[in-house]
Amino acid sequence: MDVKSGTKHSSELQEVGRKASVSSSRPSGRKKEFAKIMRRPVPRVSESSDVSEDGSCSSDSSCGRRTLVKGGGSQGRKKNTGVRSVKVVPEGIDAAAVVLMFPVSKLAVGKRRCAWITPNSEPVYVSFHDEEWGVPIHDDRKLFELLVLSEALAEFSWPAILSKRDLLRKLFNDFDPCSVAQFAEKKIPSLKSSGSTLLSEQKMRAVVENARQMLKVIEVFGSFNNYCWSFVNHKPIINGFRYARQVPVKTPKAEAMSKDLMQRGFRCVGPTVIYSFMQAAGIVNDHLSSCFRFEECIGSCSKESRTNTESMTLGKGLTKKCSLQD
């Protein structure tokens, strides 16, 4: 090969090399796509995994436990470690705030109550169940109050009635039968217009009339307490029902008291109303046997050491007070 041909061949090789370098600096469309893929962030391995740099697992861990974050492709086969995953409060959220947003109901962790008391029951209703309902009552004024409240059950529920209790006490002079019995006829409409939307005018008139008839009962029996408790031989009836569906709405004894009251001139005292009155006044203990108040109300019966003489003295004093006001 002569010098000219060698020089020409060398220049051709240099030209081919230059074109190759230029083509390599300008990647094709496929190479551009590959470059984009390579620029994507590599999925991080969770802290629980233990993988060596060359991709193999160490002797202390299993590849089956490797878990990738979301977007990192397929997950490795999980190994059952016997530990269940637990949801925790996300980072940045105060756990105490979550407790305040979703408080645990006191009823859910407290004492067991009757089935009709639920975590959604109004506090005034729960308090009435825990402190008053089923406790034997022997005070005439208190019995008169419970009779009036029970009469309202024909149109309203216990929570609605108890929410208006203070207003009713104000309207009826703290349920003093002597005072209520002296209400003039013209005062009854004013009671209705004073803001009470609980009792109708008919119920208002029934309360006044029942107060007058109650004074007559006291004159005969010595006290309204003696009259009411005489229908159960002065001992509370303890039913001990297990289920709410077993609790009746009326009983033969309630029907007997209702009939006698009607004959004496009482109004709005049907058997259902009277049985509700007997339950509230503790004449009947209808707390479910699983309720914590069932045993407590039974225990309160042993503490009722008021004798018939004391009850008669209370009734006579009440009648004397009414006669002095006449």
Side-chain angles (χ1 to χ4, degrees), residues 122-141:
E122 297 183 19
V124 65
Y125 187 35
V126 178
S127 298
F128 181 67
H129 168 274
D130 292 356
E131 301 171 7
E132 297 183 62
W133 196 76
V135 177
I137 301 298
H138 297 278
D139 179 75
D140 282 2
R141 180 179 296 190

Side-chain angles (χ1 to χ4, degrees), residues 107-252:
L107 294 180
V109 297
K111 298 179 180 179
R112 189 171 182 179
R113 294 168 170 81
C114 295
W116 49 87
I117 301 296
T118 67
N120 296 326
S121 296
E122 297 183 19
V124 65
Y125 187 35
V126 178
S127 298
F128 181 67
H129 168 274
D130 292 356
E131 301 171 7
E132 297 183 62
W133 196 76
V135 177
I137 301 298
H138 297 278
D139 179 75
D140 282 2
R141 180 179 296 190
K142 186 68 174 179
L143 289 171
F144 179 58
E145 177 182 0
L146 294 177
L147 179 61
V148 174
L149 299 181
S150 299
E151 290 174 1
L153 286 173
E155 300 175 359
F156 300 93
S157 62
W158 271 120
I161 297 169
L162 295 172
S163 64
K164 299 281 188 175
R165 193 175 189 178
D166 292 337
L167 177 59
L168 292 175
R169 283 174 174 169
K170 183 177 180 180
L171 291 176
F172 296 116
N173 298 337
D174 202 19
F175 292 101
D176 183 4
C178 294
S179 179
V180 176
Q182 296 179 5
F183 282 2
E185 184 69 21
K186 61 181 180 181
K187 187 176 181 179
I188 296 177
S190 64
L191 294 176
K192 182 61 181 175
S193 62
S194 62
S196 174
T197 59
L198 182 62
L199 297 179
S200 61
E201 185 173 339
Q202 179 184 2
K203 287 290 192 300
M204 293 283 190
R205 295 181 182 276
V207 172
V208 176
E209 183 62 28
N210 290 347
R212 295 169 181 169
Q213 300 303 326
M214 180 178 171
L215 298 181
K216 297 180 180 180
V217 171
I218 293 175
E219 291 179 357
V220 176
F221 291 87
S223 67
F224 192 62
N225 166 63
N226 285 340
Y227 170 79
C228 294
W229 283 87
S230 65
F231 289 90
V232 293
N233 295 324
H234 300 279
K235 293 181 180 180
I237 298 175
I238 302 174
N239 288 320
F241 295 120
R242 295 182 59 188
Y243 306 104
R245 63 175 180 269
Q246 296 176 307
V247 181
V249 294
K250 61 181 180 180
T251 61

Side-chain angles (χ1 to χ4, degrees), residues 31-50:
K31 290 183 178 180
K32 290 180 178 180
E33 184 68 18
F34 180 76
K36 291 181 180 180
I37 296 175
M38 293 301 295
R39 285 197 296 269
R40 293 178 182 176
V42 179
R44 295 180 301 172
V45 180
S46 63
E47 295 180 0
S48 61
S49 62
D50 190 5

